[in-house]
Amino acid sequence: MQHIQPVELAKAYRLLNHGPTTIVTSAHGGVTNVMAAAWAMPLDFDPPKVLLVIDSKTLTRELVEASGEFALNIPTRALAETTLAVGSSSGRDGDKFSALDITTFPSQKIAAPLIGGCLAWLECKVIPEPHNQQRYDLFIAEVVAAWADAAAFSAGRWHFPADDQRSLHYLAGGAFFATGEAFNVELKS
């Protein structure tokens, strides 16, 4: 195995090809915020649940803890610059929605806005797990509403219509990749 090399343990998480980068929106008491989050994943089917890591120092964390809800927006490659920008600045320094000219529309079951131009949207209500939230910055939430752009998701499957309409995956340091071409495999009997 001549091509095997060690990986710095602090970077071992990068070996897991997790789901798409998300943009998290939150709202409470008339304040809204938006941030990027690469550490989000499905947890359960029925009822549907997700996991999301939110750093304790962020405005998003403060709003999510106060409201008990957030939205996961699945951005496209066309939104890569916006995704990096919302993940590189703090909402405490000003309104990122206005500063970045982010188009939003109302969610149906929560207060946080949804972001226009995304592939999909999940409205989530936090299931309180104080130990996980405080120790690991890990939030478990039930998905109470979900939406998708029919051009990219229908019949329970992704089918990205164009390169700029593919989901994003964050590597590090501003580097992303977009979901590639789909292919099918059939088992041989």
Side-chain angles (χ1 to χ4, degrees):
M1 298 298 242
Q2 61 195 14
H3 301 292
I4 294 176
Q5 64 180 357
V7 173
E8 180 184 343
L9 291 180
K11 306 245 188 298
Y13 71 90
R14 294 181 183 173
L15 297 174
L16 295 174
N17 182 9
H18 51 276
T21 296
T22 64
I23 297 177
V24 179
T25 51
S26 54
H28 182 72
V31 177
T32 58
N33 196 43
V34 56
M35 67 171 257
W39 289 12
M41 64 176 278
L43 172 64
D44 204 353
F45 297 107
D46 188 20
K49 294 182 191 78
V50 294
L51 297 175
L52 174 65
V53 173
I54 310 172
D55 187 276
S56 63
K57 297 178 230 48
T58 65
L59 177 58
T60 294
R61 172 73 171 260
E62 183 180 311
L63 297 175
V64 168
E65 286 181 331
S67 68
E69 56 190 38
F70 59 86
L72 294 177
N73 302 263
I74 311 301
T76 63
R77 183 177 182 160
L79 290 173
E81 187 175 336
T82 299
T83 303
L84 184 60
V86 300
S88 300
S89 62
S90 172
R92 296 186 196 287
D93 298 331
D95 181 353
K96 292 192 268 185
F97 291 101
S98 294
L100 298 167
D101 197 27
I102 297 172
T103 303
T104 64
F105 60 98
S107 54
Q108 299 296 311
K109 305 235 176 180
I110 63 171
L114 303 178
I115 296 176
C118 286
L119 295 168
W121 305 265
L122 294 91
E123 298 179 34
C124 305
K125 292 203 179 232
V126 173
I127 299 168
E129 290 280 347
H131 172 74
N132 288 330
Q133 291 166 208
Q134 297 309 311
R135 183 158 186 177
Y136 303 110
D137 296 332
L138 179 68
F139 286 77
I140 299 172
E142 181 177 341
V143 178
V144 295
W147 318 93
D149 180 338
F153 188 88
S154 62
R157 301 272 186 254
W158 288 108
H159 45 86
F160 302 103
D163 281 344
D164 67 343
Q165 294 299 305
R166 295 181 182 280
S167 60
L168 294 176
H169 301 261
Y170 190 65
L171 298 173
F176 291 87
F177 70 89
T179 299
E181 293 294 323
F183 62 93
N184 292 320
V185 175
E186 292 185 29
L187 294 175
K188 296 177 184 166
S189 325

